[in-house]
Amino acid sequence: VQLQASGGGLVQAGGSLLLSCAASGRSFSSYRMGWFRQAPGKGREFVSCVSRSGSSTFYTDSVKGRFTISRDNTKNTVYLQMTTLKPEDAAVYYCAAGTRYGSDPDLYDYWGQGTLVTVSS
């Protein structure tokens, strides 16, 4: 499966962005989907993941209550709605697809190219 992330940009602190990740190929609904981020000089950090049906979601503590992950299996797309953005949310955001559910990057087999989110204070 190939993943294409989009929706990043420059936003003021407190603002919102909607990231999208479109998947090509078959069997999108068979994959668990995740979002990760990487800030300059830091390692890749788990943000959120969603189950195959979309019924289960999981978030890292720092984004709980501010970010919402969802998916539309009819459109082969996973979303990350980000609200109340903070400067520390600035990073390149990556979507990923895997056959297991969780926060470990090693659980994911396919990665998108990343989309840059910049948050000004």
Side-chain angles (χ1 to χ4, degrees):
V1 61
Q2 293 183 321
L3 303 174
Q4 180 74 37
S6 61
L10 173 63
V11 63
Q12 288 187 330
S16 299
L17 278 176
L18 175 64
L19 304 185
S20 299
C21 175
S24 61
R26 297 178 293 179
S27 303
F28 172 75
S29 61
S30 68
Y31 290 99
R32 283 79 170 181
M33 299 298 297
W35 285 98
F36 292 77
R37 65 187 180 187
Q38 188 166 14
K42 295 187 177 182
R44 191 163 295 190
E45 176 191 22
F46 169 78
V47 176
S48 181
C49 62
V50 61
S51 62
R52 291 175 295 179
S53 67
S55 61
S56 295
T57 58
F58 181 57
Y59 300 90
T60 192
D61 286 345
S62 62
V63 308
K64 283 180 182 176
R66 300 189 298 121
F67 290 11
T68 302
I69 190 171
S70 61
R71 67 189 295 164
D72 186 339
N73 288 339
T74 67
K75 296 181 178 180
N76 285 4
T77 302
V78 61
Y79 306 96
L80 186 68
Q81 177 68 59
M82 306 187 295
T83 64
T84 321
L85 282 160
K86 304 176 181 180
E88 53 263 41
D89 294 319
V92 177
Y93 282 71
Y94 299 88
C95 58
T99 55
R100 291 185 287 171
Y101 182 76
S103 60
D104 185 345
D106 290 341
L107 297 175
Y108 297 85
D109 304 305
Y110 304 97
W111 293 81
Q113 86 291 354
T115 185
L116 177 64
V117 172
T118 305
V119 183
S120 63
S121 56

